C-alpha cells in the first residue's frame, strides 16, 4: 500500500476562544481544511504558529504544505501603505507563513496556497496585491460562488480543464505577479484567480476556498505530487 503523504496546514492564533466551560487562547483552523486533505488521500497535520526561524525544520518533516486563508496581508510586506478598507494586520502570522512558504520553495515540496495563502505566495516572490476589489465577497460569513476559467497548458488546467464555479470570499487579489509566477485561472472580470510556478516544483495558489466545496481535483493533484515514491 502506498503511504499517505503528510500535508501540513497552517493555523492561526485566536485569543479568548470559548468551548464548553473554557475560554482561552487557541490555535485554530476551520475543519474544512484537514477534511479536504483527508478526503483527497493525505494525512493532515495542523501547524500551530511558531517563530519563523523554525519554519525550515517544520517543513523538512512534511511531504506537502497548505497555507490557509485568513485576514489581509500587511501591505508593508509589499511596500505599500494601507488602504482604508484593508483589515488590521497580523504581523506574527504573516512572518510565520511567509517563512513556511519560503522553506517549502527552498525544499521544493508541493505547496498549495488558498486565498490569503495564494496572496502570501505572490508577496513571498516579490509581487504586490490589489487591496480592495468589489464583487468577490458578500456579507460577512456568507460565501459566494463565481466562475473561474483555466488557462490552457497550466498545471491548474491539467487538474480542472473546464470552467467551474468556485466558493469565494475575498476582497484582495494579485496585482503585480511575483517572480516566476504565471496566471493559471481568471475570473470573468479579469481578476487572477490562480497562480503557479512552472515545473519541476508543484506550486499552486488559488484565490477561492476549495475546503468549502466538493471539488477535490486540485488537492488530489497536490496529494499525488506529495506522495513519496
Amino acid at each position: 500500500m502506498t503511504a499517505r503523504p503528510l500535508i501540513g496546514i497552517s493555523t492561526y492564533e485566536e485569543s479568548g476562544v470559548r468551548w464548553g466551560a473554557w475560554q482561552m487562547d487557541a490555535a485554530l483552523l476551520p475543519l474544512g481544511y484537514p477534511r479536504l486533505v483527508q478526503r483527497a488521500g493525505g494525512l493532515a497535520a495542523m501547524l500551530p504558529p511558531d517563530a519563523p526561524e523554525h519554519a525550515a525544520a517544520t517543513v523538512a518533516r512534511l511531504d506537502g504544505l497548505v497555507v490557509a486563508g485568513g485576514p489581509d496581508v500587511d501591505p508593508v510586506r509589499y511596500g505599500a501603505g494601507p488602504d482604508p478598507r484593508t483589515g488590521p494586520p497580523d504581523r506574527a502570522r504573516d512572518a510565520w507563513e511567509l517563512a513556511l512558504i519560503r522553506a517549502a520553495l527552498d525544499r521544493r515540496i508541493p505547496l498549495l496556497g488558498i486565498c490569503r495563502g495564494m496572496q502570501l505566495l505572490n508577496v513571498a516572490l516579490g509581487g504586490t496585491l490589489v487591496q480592495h476589489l468589489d464583487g468577490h465577497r458578500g456579507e460577512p460569513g456568507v460565501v459566494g460562488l463565481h466562475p473561474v476559467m483555466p488557462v490552457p497548458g497550466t498545471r491548474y488546467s491539467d487538474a480542472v480543464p473546464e470552467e467551474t464555479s468556485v466558493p469565494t470570499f475575498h476582497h484582495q487579489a494579485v496585482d503585480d505577479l511575483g517572480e516566476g509566477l504565471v496566471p493559471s485561472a481568471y475570473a470573468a472580470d479579469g481578476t487572477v484567480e490562480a497562480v503557479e510556478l512552472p515545473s519541476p516544483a508543484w506550486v499552486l495558489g488559488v484565490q477561492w476556498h476549495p475546503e468549502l466545496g466538493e471539488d477535490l481535483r486540485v488537492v488530489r493533484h497536490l496529494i499525488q505530487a506529495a506522495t513519496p515514491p
Side-chain angles (χ1 to χ4, degrees):
M1 178 180 292
T2 302
R4 299 173 73 191
L6 181 65
I7 309 297
I9 312 167
S10 64
T11 71
Y12 53 94
E13 293 183 15
E14 195 73 29
S15 60
V17 177
R18 299 186 65 95
W19 67 97
W22 303 98
Q23 181 175 353
M24 60 182 68
D25 297 349
L28 292 183
L29 181 69
L31 188 57
Y33 290 99
R35 281 185 171 168
L36 179 68
V37 167
Q38 292 163 348
R39 290 168 62 205
L43 298 173
M46 294 168 58
L47 305 179
D50 203 343
E53 57 265 30
H54 299 315
T58 300
V59 167
R61 305 289 186 93
L62 303 174
D63 299 310
L65 175 67
V66 173
V67 180
D72 296 338
V73 180
D74 188 350
V76 74
R77 291 286 181 177
Y78 47 95
D83 184 281
R85 296 161 294 188
T86 296
D90 185 339
R91 296 185 177 92
R93 182 175 179 185
D94 287 350
W96 169 239
E97 292 183 336
L98 282 167
L100 288 174
I101 289 170
R102 289 170 179 141
L105 294 174
D106 287 345
R107 293 188 66 88
R108 293 192 173 184
I109 75 162
L111 167 62
L112 174 63
I114 292 177
C115 198
R116 164 190 161 87
M118 167 177 151
Q119 295 165 9
L120 272 174
L121 170 63
N122 191 57
V123 170
L125 291 170
T128 64
L129 303 178
V130 176
Q131 292 193 48
H132 182 78
L133 74 167
D134 295 316
H136 288 253
R137 73 174 181 184
E139 296 300 318
V142 179
V143 175
L145 291 171
H146 71 65
V148 297
M149 286 70 72
V151 175
T154 59
R155 177 176 291 112
Y156 173 68
S157 72
D158 288 343
V160 185
E162 79 281 6
E163 177 182 315
T164 57
S165 288
V166 296
T168 181
F169 188 88
H170 68 97
H171 80 120
Q172 299 197 335
V174 165
D175 190 5
D176 295 327
L177 283 166
E179 184 178 357
L181 288 172
V182 297
S184 47
Y186 289 94
D189 64 3
T191 299
V192 175
E193 289 284 334
V195 295
E196 61 188 60
L197 287 177
S199 296
W202 198 102
V203 178
L204 176 65
V206 297
Q207 187 58 76
W208 60 91
H209 286 271
E211 82 282 2
L212 298 176
E214 297 300 322
D215 193 334
L216 300 178
R217 287 177 289 179
V218 165
V219 182
R220 281 179 174 155
H221 272 241
L222 167 70
I223 297 302
Q224 181 179 10
T227 299

